[in-house]
Amino acid sequence: MRGLIGAISALAIMASSAASAESLKLVEVITSPERTKVLQQQVEAFEAANPGTEVEIVSLPWGQAFEKFATMVAGGDIPDVVEMPDRWAGIYKDKLVDLNSRIADWEHGETLTQKTIDMGRQTDGKTVRMIPYGFYLRALFYNKKLLEEAGVGEAPKTMADFMAAAKAVSELDGKYGYCLRGGPGGLNGWIMMAATMNGNNTFFDENGKSTLNQPGSVEGIQFLIDLYQNGYAPKDSVSWGFNEIVAGFYSGTCAFLDQDPDALIAVAERMEADDFAVVPMPVGPAGKAFPTIGFAGWAMFDTTSNEDLSWKLIAHLASPEANKEWAKRVGVIPIHEGAEQDPYFKTEQFKGWFDTLNGDQYVPTVMPTYLEQFGYFADSIALESSQEALLGQISAQEVADKWAEFLTEEYARWKAAQ
Amino acid sequence: MSTATPAPGKPRARPSFYFRYLVEPYLYIAPAFVLIALVMLVPLVIGVSYAFQSVSLLRPFETGWVGTENFQALWSDRKFWLALKNTFWWTLGSIFFQFFLGLGLALLLNTRFYGKRLVQALVFLPWAVPTFLSALTWAWLFNPTIGPLPHWLAALGILSEPFNILGDPDLAMWGPITANVWFGVPFFAITLLAALQSIPGELYEAAEIDGATAWQSFTKITLPFLAPMIAITVMLRTIWIANFADLIFVMTGGGPANSTQILSTYIFTTAFRKLDFGYASAIAVALLALLLIYAVILLVLRRRLVKI
């Protein structure tokens, strides 16, 4: 009897290890029906190319992804491969596999753009913890018709032009200059304006002190407050998130929108291609603009039982062909060199982003997502205090001081941990 | 034979007496006790104990007992007091309209009219809608681009121009309150209607014969009979609403500028955005204490006022 039980359990162990050798768990955290469909197709192609492999896709809706994923990992239900947004990388960095040598041995490793490698290394500057699958870079959408009606000849090139154009459009009845994102996800706009007016996008000076309350940055923050308080942005834009600003733009309520390529999908569906275009963000007094750049990528946890297969999946998803398709359908800037030669990316709309990438006066700003509490800062502290500032409850200086204090403290903690 | 049987009235065996009257009953209710302890008391004690510890997911090595540190931080936390004030207005505003509209509806449904069954079914509809969905729907209704409400309010002269009140810090709280009133009226209507229907009809007949006015029979018969139900439903609903964050979370996310932040949304943000479970528990304990005090006051009042 005991022999039988032993044999059965041995069989069971063999069976389960055989099964786990061939199955991977992939968690996606930024989800939409379209995205999940693309991912599913690419994963199916991977399964077909590797017979006997099964990839289970777990989709977490972005709204609750952060706490759900944290709970999953804390509870030991750790996936093999994960879609890692830049701002979470700092939290999970110690659990993610170093991909340096894998990329060096990879046939497509050579064509990855330098930016891609740099962003993959953002947690400590040395180790590639993830392969970004594309970039979200800010550029300025503008409504050609509205500008024409308001008598503005061309898209603004400087911040002063931008303010003047916003003012001119706002004089039209029921129209506004700027689709201000005062609600969720608004931090990028604030940081961008602060850096552009300050002429500098480093977050901390050599003493580890945040630059956000330097006089130039405060001017940038004041710039957005002025836009709102002078009525160049709709009154309820103080709580607008992504959907509202995009709707505000394509409905023709406001003439300017600063967004990533993912907004292009929704805008292009509802506006004639001739009615709008995208240009780089206006430059500040120093002649430079600092649009924020964000990303997410594929990473694997060190608890995976099959590192080789996990890497294979990541390599498959990040291959030039798969990535180009992903970039088109999800709305990001691709990660391999030469992708901009594709006709899809050669439109007047996409030009804004590639001009930004190629122009010397445009310096992409990477948010300090390596700070542990960055997510909390962006989603709670910055959100609430920036709304208070827009509504005139606190001044630009006060909000800048508050942010600088928090970030300086977090930076010191991060420094100490290095 | 007679020596073997004990005298009548004398217990046959002492041990079995103790067992049957002192031990056995408790054995019967033991499963219930164990269950309650497992699903309610244990988590409660653990939750309360977190309030005296440093439990932060991001700093796993800095955990440990910190005494009343979390509560001291709470005392000087401006946001906590703001959230407390908002919780008060949110709860009071919601319960006030829910109760009076619910009572009116119950009185109406207690009369006879044509098509009553249909109306009755429609009235209870809001309860069948998931809160998330009703929050989204109301949020769209308040949006001037798509929704009709701002335009109606402007036409009525309540708003100077059609704008989204959810974006105005002085008015934003009215958005979730409106949704909550719509959502919560059926509860009062159902429970109060049940209580109304249990009032004997003869009392009203007698009152009518004695020449009582409608107002008199309402205050002298209906209200005293409804009072116990009113006390208990108002208490339950207050506690529920004070803890009810779904509508606010979906409609405004606590904004703009914290103007709709209530304690339970603040607890959520602290626990799941800041990942600081210790501090979140401290806020939760404060809320628990406040609600306990409220419940005790209401129960005492109920005993004083309700003479049945």
Side-chain angles (χ1 to χ4, degrees):
Chain A
M1 187 64 191
R2 187 178 288 173
L4 186 67
I5 292 174
I8 290 175
S9 53
L11 264 177
I13 289 168
M14 278 167 67
S16 68
S17 66
S20 68
E22 305 298 328
S23 70
L24 291 177
K25 188 171 189 174
L26 171 93
V27 172
E28 60 158 346
V29 296
I30 309 176
T31 49
S32 74
E34 167 73 4
R35 243 166 203 278
T36 307
K37 206 168 78 194
V38 180
L39 182 64
Q40 218 133 29
Q41 284 164 0
Q42 299 196 344
V43 163
E44 272 164 28
F46 173 74
E47 286 174 336
N50 297 275
T53 313
E54 256 182 53
V55 181
E56 181 198 350
I57 300 179
V58 179
S59 305
L60 303 179
W62 175 241
Q64 300 117 42
F66 181 67
E67 54 270 17
K68 280 203 172 146
F69 191 69
T71 322
M72 262 176 91
V73 171
D77 183 14
I78 307 174
D80 301 282
V81 177
V82 63
E83 174 183 15
M84 181 64 64
D86 49 4
R87 63 171 56 178
W88 300 3
I91 300 177
Y92 296 107
K93 60 178 187 291
D94 298 332
K95 291 190 168 79
L96 301 177
V97 175
D98 174 6
L99 300 176
N100 270 336
S101 59
R102 299 266 184 189
I103 292 174
D105 295 340
W106 186 33
E107 53 177 324
H108 299 300
E110 287 287 297
T111 57
L112 284 179
T113 54
Q114 190 54 42
K115 197 147 271 146
T116 308
I117 299 285
D118 291 345
M119 300 292 175
R121 284 185 182 144
Q122 50 125 8
T123 50
D124 62 359
K126 297 187 287 283
T127 331
V128 178
R129 307 271 184 198
M130 66 157 115
I131 298 189
Y133 60 53
F135 299 102
Y136 298 97
L137 177 66
R138 284 291 155 97
L140 193 67
F141 287 70
Y142 67 97
N143 186 320
K144 289 184 180 174
K145 276 187 180 167
L146 276 182
L147 289 196
E148 209 173 290
E149 263 179 66
V152 181
E154 53 170 5
K157 291 205 166 60
T158 66
M159 293 285 270
D161 293 349
F162 181 65
M163 185 64 99
K167 180 169 188 257
V169 176
S170 305
E171 276 158 14
L172 301 173
D173 189 31
K175 303 291 176 193
Y176 300 90
Y178 181 50
C179 294
L180 173 75
R181 187 166 182 176
L187 181 66
N188 286 34
W190 293 96
I191 296 291
M192 206 159 60
M193 296 301 181
T196 301
M197 292 307 276
N198 202 18
N200 182 346
N201 74 342
T202 51
F203 277 87
F204 303 99
D205 64 13
E206 62 275 16
N207 303 320
K209 205 177 156 302
S210 168
T211 58
L212 265 179
N213 60 349
Q214 290 178 354
S217 305
V218 176
E219 258 176 64
I221 291 171
Q222 188 66 48
F223 186 89
L224 279 185
I225 298 175
D226 286 346
L227 272 176
Y228 181 75
Q229 291 184 348
N230 292 342
Y232 304 163
K235 189 170 160 45
D236 49 328
S237 64
V238 64
S239 49
W240 278 10
F242 178 81
N243 291 329
E244 288 88 356
I245 49 170
V246 174
F249 183 74
Y250 66 61
S251 65
T253 309
C254 34
F256 294 112
L257 165 74
D258 58 289
Q259 257 309 314
D260 312 322
D262 60 345
L264 186 58
I265 297 172
V267 173
E269 258 177 33
R270 296 172 179 85
M271 279 178 97
E272 295 287 329
D274 295 337
D275 291 349
F276 74 102
V278 182
V279 288
M281 292 301 295
V283 297
K288 288 188 168 194
F290 302 90
T292 53
I293 192 165
F295 59 96
W298 302 113
M300 69 165 129
F301 275 99
D302 57 8
T303 45
T304 175
S305 55
N306 196 335
E307 218 172 271
D308 289 335
L309 193 66
S310 298
W311 164 250
K312 238 177 159 178
L313 176 61
I314 293 179
H316 170 81
L317 293 172
S319 68
E321 272 316 297
N323 181 253
K324 207 191 286 177
E325 195 203 353
W326 177 261
K328 282 180 195 172
R329 293 178 60 184
V330 167
V332 285
I333 295 165
I335 57 172
H336 288 280
E337 281 163 11
E340 68 269 27
Q341 297 310 318
D342 189 285
Y344 179 86
F345 298 114
K346 279 190 149 175
T347 57
E348 190 188 10
Q349 277 76 34
F350 250 100
K351 198 169 170 294
W353 285 288
F354 285 110
D355 281 354
T356 305
L357 279 177
N358 299 326
D360 288 334
Q361 69 271 48
Y362 306 112
V363 188
T365 300
V366 187
M367 299 292 252
T369 48
Y370 48 86
L371 301 177
E372 276 178 354
Q373 299 246 37
F374 183 75
Y376 175 61
F377 173 72
D379 298 335
S380 290
I381 296 182
L383 172 65
E384 289 158 10
S385 41
S386 63
Q387 288 182 333
E388 284 172 354
L390 287 175
L391 295 166
Q393 296 170 359
I394 53 174
S395 70
Q397 185 68 48
E398 280 170 302
V399 72
D401 286 342
K402 188 174 181 168
W403 294 358
E405 190 193 332
F406 184 86
L407 289 178
T408 303
E409 207 174 290
E410 273 297 295
Y411 186 68
R413 211 191 305 271
W414 176 78
K415 259 292 209 251
Q418 294 303 300
Chain B
M1 186 82 171
S2 65
T3 52
T5 39
K10 198 182 163 200
R12 257 193 285 201
R14 284 258 159 207
S16 88
F17 170 84
Y18 281 124
F19 181 76
R20 283 186 58 181
Y21 290 93
L22 289 176
V23 180
E24 206 180 271
Y26 293 102
L27 283 181
Y28 288 128
I29 53 169
F33 268 132
V34 171
L35 209 66
I36 289 173
L38 275 181
V39 299
M40 297 188 63
L41 289 180
V42 172
L44 187 71
V45 169
I46 293 176
V48 171
S49 79
Y50 277 175
F52 299 94
Q53 296 177 55
S54 162
V55 190
S56 174
L57 275 197
L58 291 176
R59 312 228 161 79
F61 303 113
E62 290 173 27
T63 53
W65 295 90
V66 293
T68 55
E69 210 174 86
N70 283 332
F71 290 97
Q72 285 161 17
L74 207 60
W75 188 254
S76 51
D77 183 355
R78 188 187 64 94
K79 219 170 126 183
F80 169 75
W81 295 105
L82 185 67
L84 188 64
K85 198 185 86 194
N86 288 337
T87 310
F88 176 76
W89 287 115
W90 153 251
T91 313
L92 189 78
S94 302
I95 197 91
F96 180 83
F97 288 107
Q98 281 186 2
F99 172 71
F100 282 103
L101 290 176
L103 179 65
L105 208 59
L107 289 172
L108 206 67
L109 288 174
N110 201 31
T111 58
R112 288 167 203 276
F113 59 89
Y114 180 72
K116 183 180 153 189
R117 276 162 196 272
L118 183 72
V119 173
Q120 210 163 351
L122 285 178
V123 161
F124 299 147
L125 198 67
W127 262 55
V129 182
T131 33
F132 183 76
L133 202 65
S134 44
L136 276 182
T137 312
W138 278 99
W140 287 121
L141 285 174
F142 279 114
N143 187 325
T145 320
I146 319 151
L149 289 181
H151 301 280
W152 293 348
L153 290 173
L156 287 172
I158 298 170
L159 294 182
S160 55
E161 50 165 347
F163 65 89
N164 194 339
I165 63 162
L166 297 178
D168 185 324
D170 300 324
L171 299 173
M173 190 55 109
W174 286 107
I177 287 181
T178 311
N180 196 13
V181 169
W182 178 81
F183 178 75
V185 163
F187 175 82
F188 278 108
I190 298 170
T191 46
L192 295 180
L193 180 62
L196 276 177
Q197 284 174 344
S198 69
I199 303 175
E202 304 89 71
L203 290 174
Y204 291 103
E205 284 167 25
E208 208 174 325
I209 292 164
D210 290 344
T213 60
W215 177 248
Q216 279 172 330
S217 57
F218 176 71
T219 50
K220 299 284 192 270
I221 304 171
T222 314
L223 269 189
F225 269 92
L226 281 184
M229 189 58 116
I230 291 175
I232 208 79
T233 46
V234 167
M235 185 183 84
L236 283 177
R237 282 301 286 185
T238 311
I239 294 172
W240 194 2
I241 293 171
N243 282 319
F244 185 49
D246 307 25
L247 286 174
I248 290 188
F249 209 80
V250 177
M251 289 179 74
T252 65
N258 281 322
S259 57
T260 57
Q261 186 85 265
I262 63 168
L263 283 177
S264 46
T265 51
Y266 188 30
I267 293 170
F268 180 85
T269 345
T270 311
F272 291 105
R273 293 271 177 274
K274 203 178 179 188
L275 298 181
D276 188 343
F277 284 81
Y279 194 59
S281 300
I283 310 170
V285 168
L287 179 61
L288 180 75
L290 287 173
L291 290 176
L292 273 179
I293 294 170
Y294 168 79
V296 168
I297 293 174
L298 209 74
L299 287 177
V300 170
L301 274 182
R302 178 174 185 256
R303 242 201 0 225
R304 287 259 181 101
L305 294 178
V306 179
K307 298 185 182 65
I308 293 177

